[in-house]
Amino acid sequence: MSLLELKNISKIYGELKALDKVNIHVDKGEWVAIMGPSGSGKSTMMNIIGCMDKPSRGEVLLDGVDIAKESSRKLTDIRRDKIGLVFQQFHMVNYLTAVENVMVAQYYHSMPDEKEALEALARVGLKERAHHLPSQLSGGEQQRVCVARALINHPELILADEPTGNLDETNENIVLDLFAQLHKEGTTLIVVTHDPEVADAAQRTIVLEHGRVAREVINENFGK
Amino acid sequence: MTKRRMFLRMITASLLRRRSRMLVALLSIGIGATILSGLVTIYYDVPRQMGAQFRNYGANMIFVSADGTSLDAEKTAEALSLIPKEKILGATPYRYTSAQMVRNQLSFVAAGTDFEQVQATSPYFMVDGAYPSASRQVLLGKEVAKTIGAKLNSMVEISWKPSVTEASGDTELKPGAYLAGSAEGFNSALVYVTLKLGDDLSIAEMTVNADSQTAEFGGRCAEESFTKQFIGKLIPLTAGTDVDAMTGATVTSQAVVDAVNKARPTENAQAATGNSLSLQVTGILDTGGDEEQYIFLSLSDMEALTGEQDRFDVMELSVSASAEELEEYVSQITDKSGSVSARLVKRVTRSEAAVLTKLQSLVFLVTAVVLLLTMICVSTTMMAVVTERRKEIGLRKALGASDSSIRLEFLGEGIFLGALGGLLGSVLGFGFAQVVSVNVFGSSIQFQPLLLPLTVAVSMLIAALSCMLPIKRAVQIDPALVLKGE
Ligand SMILES: Nc1ncnc2c1ncn2[C@@H]1O[C@H](COP(=O)(O)OP(=O)(O)OP(=O)(O)O)[C@@H](O)[C@H]1O
Ligand SMILES: [Mg+2]
């Protein structure tokens, strides 16, 4: 069953076509990797899927709703209710502790629940560091807090833009294991990456080049 | 955990963990609130302070009799009770009469008064020596002292004679009644007679005061050789038939006869006969005004001299109140007291009101300017805060924060800062007002408890208003742009 469908979307900045007539289809529960050289339009596409930006042309159907036509207020609602975001640069509120940062997502979504937030941190192996400020955490730890924050509201779709770009091997594996778990639980995952190993963990890889879909590769080894 | 607690946790964390920036905002609100509460304290205290200063320039209200006669002590006290007691700094009764120095026959205005009150209503009186504090003591005006050559602690003897107008209106003659009368003698000067009637209504006793006449001629009409002719005779009398004129003093003799014929009953022997007192000079008064030509004695000495009790001509009051309050008292007294008429000394009350209005509008203006500056300062700081926190705001939006949540969070921080700054300002402001008051007016001020919530509320409002523009900027932040990277 289809969760997301990009139909002929383009994003144009003046002369530059960041995205050029892209067609992508993602099923519910699927784990998809997006690859491509720098500047190929990966983040641009993720922002559009994440309801933070709109395409210049085309339709974006999320759960059957064309989000390209919604008001920004409605987009905020959809983003809050359905999507968990992990960013390329790990963004945290720098004056709030790790657990508070997770609770911020709960706060905007529904009700802050410290116990649940601590459990999410435990899931990414950060139980001990829950009450540290971002400045007291390493890059890998911060990115794991961001992952915990993304999954705290049990979103249907997790969008991760280079979640492991700044991580070492150990941290990368922690995050990938977590993604595998989420996948098992039925969450749809779209992960942008430069790293073939990360891409190999997904069911399917879509490669972008110059704003177009260059090719799609089904991962034969998935689950093995 | 409820949303509200998380909200509070976020804004307090923002304030506590991002100290340096917030300290600037807090400081500017605090300073604004300090000046606000300080100036408002002074604003409300200035009338009191200024009033006290102005009361140094003398009485601002007077009581006189409504019908042009003298004031009754009891009625005056009733009128006085219509003014709140704590507002009355002094209420000085004056009883004026004309008196003579026995030694040289010079006439002066004698004023009976209450010296303790004089010091309150006329603080500018300068006394060389001291105010009289016991009976039979007198305060001489500087001019009087110069004219008669009186020194401190010397004795002066003053005499008082009734004028015919002082006799009461009862015209029916009764056995044993005292009569007093006066008529114009030589040079149109007055000659006084006092009489006592016998049982058959004939003249039983008689005294003449012809001090105003030439001593060796008309003056001799006071001698018994002349007055004894009147004894046993019935009024009216005819000069030449009933009484022989004094040799060389026909005019004065005729005046004495006229005075007897015009004599009217008076209340007591003293009023009828006149009196004299020997007084010790305790002080000499220097005012630069008319008072230097008066002599002042206590009310009880005045009563001893004239025999009249509990009557004043004027009461001077120094009332510590605003112009409106004074007007209010005056109209109340006019309404409720028939015989006492209250008036304001316009010269004093008007200039007091004018100075106060100017001073208060100045304070008001300065407060407004300070609040405006505070607003600009806080607004600028908050604007910098928003710029500094662009990424965080973008992140919050990406996490699903609606525009109103972002607004509420910044407003919350602003109002929290305002409350904190307001509290700080209330305390510092009182100190500030105290310092100003002590240095400018030389007296301390009371703490106004109501000012605390007021200052806090105004500070919160100012902070909230200052946040409006920065909040607008924050809401416009696009999460995609901010999160895309550096
Ligand atoms: N707001 C913008 N205005 C103009 N050009 C933009 C804007 N955002 C992105 N671009 C351009 O669009 C193109 C695609 O950018 P995008 O960020 O999607 O690349 P990417 O694939 O995520 O690259 P990377 O791997 O480096 O993150 C780039 O050439 C970029 O310069
Ligand atoms: Mg990118």
Side-chain angles (χ1 to χ4, degrees), chain B residues 260-271:
Chain B
V260 168
N261 291 342
K262 288 201 292 185
R264 294 279 173 277
T266 69
E267 274 161 25
N268 54 30
Q270 209 175 69

Side-chain angles (χ1 to χ4, degrees), chain B residues 11-156:
Chain B
I11 63 169
T12 47
S14 166
L15 296 178
L16 293 177
R17 298 194 188 133
R18 307 173 58 254
R19 255 170 267 159
S20 58
R21 180 63 81 179
M22 284 308 172
L23 221 58
V24 177
L26 180 66
L27 214 67
S28 49
I29 296 176
I31 290 171
T34 301
I35 296 186
L36 169 73
S37 87
L39 287 183
V40 170
T41 307
I42 294 170
Y43 182 93
Y44 280 107
D45 218 53
V46 153
R48 196 174 66 82
Q49 304 274 17
M50 290 297 293
Q53 300 280 314
F54 268 103
R55 298 281 48 78
N56 291 335
Y57 300 113
N60 53 358
M61 194 191 280
I62 57 168
F63 286 175
V64 291
S65 159
D67 56 11
T69 59
S70 55
L71 285 166
D72 181 81
E74 214 172 290
K75 293 273 164 51
T76 309
E78 272 170 30
L80 208 55
S81 70
L82 293 172
I83 305 174
K85 208 169 190 158
E86 70 278 4
K87 300 261 183 189
I88 304 174
L89 300 178
T92 314
Y94 285 101
R95 175 74 171 127
Y96 295 109
T97 190
S98 162
Q100 281 185 322
M101 288 295 156
V102 170
R103 188 139 54 99
N104 52 15
Q105 300 299 322
L106 288 169
S107 287
F108 298 100
V109 173
T113 189
D114 178 338
F115 289 108
E116 226 169 86
Q117 298 295 317
V118 166
Q119 291 169 59
T121 53
S122 303
Y124 55 91
F125 275 15
M126 290 206 305
V127 173
D128 180 17
Y131 278 105
S133 53
S135 65
R136 302 295 185 266
Q137 292 186 334
V138 70
L139 176 70
L140 294 185
K142 203 168 95 184
E143 291 299 319
V144 177
K146 211 192 277 172
T147 311
I148 65 172
K151 295 271 177 304
L152 275 182
N153 295 321
S154 63
M155 299 299 289
V156 293

Side-chain angles (χ1 to χ4, degrees), chain A residues 28-63:
Chain A
K28 215 165 252 184
E30 226 187 330
W31 181 354
V32 177
I34 312 271
M35 290 190 81
S38 184
S40 56
K42 303 183 296 293
S43 295
T44 305
M45 193 174 85
M46 292 294 261
N47 276 338
I48 290 171
I49 300 170
C51 298
M52 297 200 288
D53 208 349
K54 287 184 184 180
S56 308
R57 261 176 242 138
E59 275 180 29
V60 184
L61 294 176
L62 183 63
D63 250 350

Side-chain angles (χ1 to χ4, degrees), chain A residues 39 42-44 88 161-162 192, chain B residues 484:
Chain A
K42 303 183 296 293
S43 295
T44 305
Q88 195 165 3
D161 194 345
E162 304 241 21
V192 170
Chain B
K484 204 168 265 178

Side-chain angles (χ1 to χ4, degrees), chain B residues 135-211:
Chain B
S135 65
R136 302 295 185 266
Q137 292 186 334
V138 70
L139 176 70
L140 294 185
K142 203 168 95 184
E143 291 299 319
V144 177
K146 211 192 277 172
T147 311
I148 65 172
K151 295 271 177 304
L152 275 182
N153 295 321
S154 63
M155 299 299 289
V156 293
E157 193 175 10
I158 62 168
S159 69
W160 171 86
K161 294 282 180 303
S163 73
V164 85
T165 50
E166 288 182 73
S168 66
D170 192 359
T171 49
E172 200 195 332
L173 303 182
K174 293 192 187 93
Y178 289 99
L179 305 183
S182 63
E184 279 184 16
F186 195 65
N187 269 348
S188 300
L190 282 178
V191 172
Y192 302 95
V193 299
T194 51
L195 312 165
K196 189 183 179 194
L197 299 183
D199 291 341
D200 56 351
L201 297 181
S202 68
I203 298 170
E205 290 169 23
M206 166 154 164
T207 350
V208 171
N209 180 340
D211 291 347

Side-chain angles (χ1 to χ4, degrees), chain A:
Chain A
M1 208 178 87
S2 157
L3 174 72
L4 177 73
E5 212 171 324
L6 304 189
K7 287 185 179 171
N8 250 334
I9 61 157
S10 300
K11 181 73 184 179
I12 298 163
Y13 295 113
E15 297 282 281
L16 181 85
K17 287 181 175 171
L19 291 175
D20 190 8
K21 294 179 190 149
V22 172
N23 286 286
I24 286 177
H25 175 100
V26 178
D27 273 338
K28 215 165 252 184
E30 226 187 330
W31 181 354
V32 177
I34 312 271
M35 290 190 81
S38 184
S40 56
K42 303 183 296 293
S43 295
T44 305
M45 193 174 85
M46 292 294 261
N47 276 338
I48 290 171
I49 300 170
C51 298
M52 297 200 288
D53 208 349
K54 287 184 184 180
S56 308
R57 261 176 242 138
E59 275 180 29
V60 184
L61 294 176
L62 183 63
D63 250 350
V65 179
D66 185 2
I67 57 175
K69 292 201 174 67
E70 292 295 343
S71 68
S72 65
R73 195 194 184 121
K74 191 75 205 287
L75 289 181
T76 303
D77 291 346
I78 295 172
R79 180 167 65 238
R80 184 179 56 212
D81 293 340
K82 299 195 168 161
I83 300 170
L85 294 164
V86 182
F87 309 99
Q88 195 165 3
Q89 277 90 18
F90 19 84
H91 289 292
M92 288 178 77
V93 180
N94 58 12
Y95 54 85
L96 294 180
T97 61
V99 67
E100 283 167 346
N101 264 281
V102 176
M103 285 160 75
V104 169
Q106 292 178 314
Y107 172 77
Y108 291 123
H109 181 265
S110 48
M111 273 291 156
D113 182 339
E114 191 160 9
K115 211 173 129 236
E116 208 180 306
L118 286 169
E119 277 166 17
L121 283 175
R123 233 176 136 179
V124 296
L126 284 175
K127 202 177 175 184
E128 314 297 298
R129 321 231 64 181
H131 298 288
H132 286 65
L133 288 170
S135 57
Q136 298 164 325
L137 297 174
S138 74
E141 287 167 335
Q142 289 188 46
Q143 188 63 307
R144 277 147 64 193
V145 174
C146 291
V147 173
R149 185 175 63 194
L151 59 83
I152 189 71
N153 294 321
H154 310 291
E156 263 178 277
L157 174 63
I158 286 188
L159 299 176
D161 194 345
E162 304 241 21
T164 58
N166 296 301
L167 301 187
D168 63 5
E169 186 109 5
T170 328
N171 276 305
E172 187 177 304
N173 287 330
I174 295 174
V175 171
L176 285 180
D177 286 350
L178 206 65
F179 282 173
Q181 264 184 52
L182 290 168
H183 171 70
K184 261 187 208 135
E185 289 165 17
T187 311
T188 311
L189 292 156
I190 301 177
V191 181
V192 170
T193 186
H194 279 294
D195 188 341
E197 252 179 76
V198 176
D200 275 349
Q203 289 170 300
R204 182 158 59 110
T205 304
I206 297 168
V207 180
L208 288 185
E209 265 165 31
H210 302 297
R212 290 164 189 252
V213 178
R215 59 184 175 280
E216 280 189 46
V217 183
I218 307 285
N219 183 5
E220 308 287 350
N221 296 325
F222 181 76
K224 289 174 193 164

Side-chain angles (χ1 to χ4, degrees), chain B residues 382-410:
Chain B
M382 288 307 276
M383 203 62 121
V385 165
V386 167
T387 310
E388 196 181 81
R389 291 166 70 179
R390 278 168 66 83
K391 278 203 161 175
E392 181 205 324
I393 295 162
L395 171 64
R396 285 178 185 275
K397 286 185 149 187
L399 292 176
S402 60
D403 290 355
S404 55
S405 316
I406 299 286
R407 264 190 214 110
L408 205 67
E409 278 154 36
F410 271 88

